Amino acid sequence: MRKLTYGMNLSLDGFIAAPGDDLGWSAPSDELFQWWSDRVAATGLALYGRRLWETMSPHWPTADQQPGATPAQIEFAGRWRDMPKVVFSSTIDKVDWNTRLVTGDAVTEITRLKAEDGGPMDISGAALAAAPMRAGLIDEYAIVTHPVLVGGGTPFFTTLDSWVSLSLVETRTFPGGVVLTRYETRR
């Protein structure tokens, strides 16, 4: 069975985007950017919601060809382009860059994908992660907390019907006071 991890940058008050979908507060240090790039390299399948897909897909497929692209950006762009991806959306009809579109029920499809052989899966996007979180499908949470309070926006966690017990498996500090905490779901 494949492992499913939900990981994103979030503010100290628990948001992945500030009001107006502002992500300016989450610009990564070089060290954190490299951590995210290495995570992409280790991902067997990435699951995206439409909104995050629409943020990532216009930039990363050709970011390595942009003037002034750093070696880290060039590496990430190639890894992102090559990584198999699934986008869940009922409002778009086309995806590209090694990506498949799913328009049906996300929980049903993610349950099917978890049962397949293959490398670990990462889920990105709070709206997409909400239903699998409530269904108990998430095996690990990788929370990259930035020392900023944004006061509102898109929350990382959804409302749950019951508690989810977690075990801390890693902590790491990055420049600028950014802290990674990884938790596995206790079953």
Side-chain angles (χ1 to χ4, degrees):
M1 179 170 276
R2 296 172 114 170
K3 180 178 182 179
L4 178 61
T5 299
Y6 174 35
M8 296 190 76
N9 292 306
L10 71 151
S11 64
L12 186 59
D13 51 350
F15 298 95
I16 63 165
D21 291 331
D22 184 355
L23 300 173
W25 54 270
S26 65
S29 65
D30 291 343
E31 186 179 339
L32 179 57
F33 187 83
Q34 187 62 56
W35 182 84
W36 281 116
S37 183
D38 292 345
R39 184 150 189 91
V40 166
T43 298
L45 181 64
L47 311 177
Y48 282 95
R50 177 196 51 84
R51 286 176 45 189
L52 188 55
W53 171 254
E54 289 178 340
T55 298
M56 300 288 282
S57 64
H59 178 72
W60 286 111
T62 59
D64 55 347
Q65 301 163 20
Q66 300 305 312
T70 67
Q73 291 168 333
I74 292 168
E75 177 183 65
F76 183 88
R79 287 174 169 178
W80 187 88
R81 209 175 24 246
D82 294 345
M83 175 180 57
K85 297 171 279 300
V86 175
V87 173
F88 292 83
S89 176
S90 60
T91 60
I92 60 176
D93 58 9
K94 182 180 183 277
V95 293
D96 45 19
W97 308 109
N98 201 20
T99 306
R100 179 173 62 88
L101 179 64
V102 172
T103 58
D105 180 65
V107 169
T108 300
E109 180 65 8
I110 292 169
T111 300
R112 187 188 72 71
L113 291 168
K114 280 190 71 161
E116 290 181 348
D117 290 333
M121 298 187 307
D122 275 3
I123 189 168
S124 299
L128 175 60
M133 190 183 305
R134 283 191 301 276
L137 295 175
I138 303 203
D139 302 302
E140 180 181 310
Y141 295 85
I143 302 168
V144 179
T145 306
H146 292 252
V148 61
L149 303 172
V150 299
T154 306
F156 180 83
F157 292 104
T158 188
T159 302
L160 298 172
D161 299 327
S162 61
W163 293 11
V164 176
S165 296
L166 305 171
S167 297
L168 180 66
V169 294
E170 180 185 8
T171 60
R172 180 174 170 184
T173 303
F174 291 94
V178 175
V179 178
L180 163 69
T181 49
R182 287 182 39 239
Y183 296 91
E184 287 183 344
T185 303
R186 279 193 264 153
R187 306 214 189 272

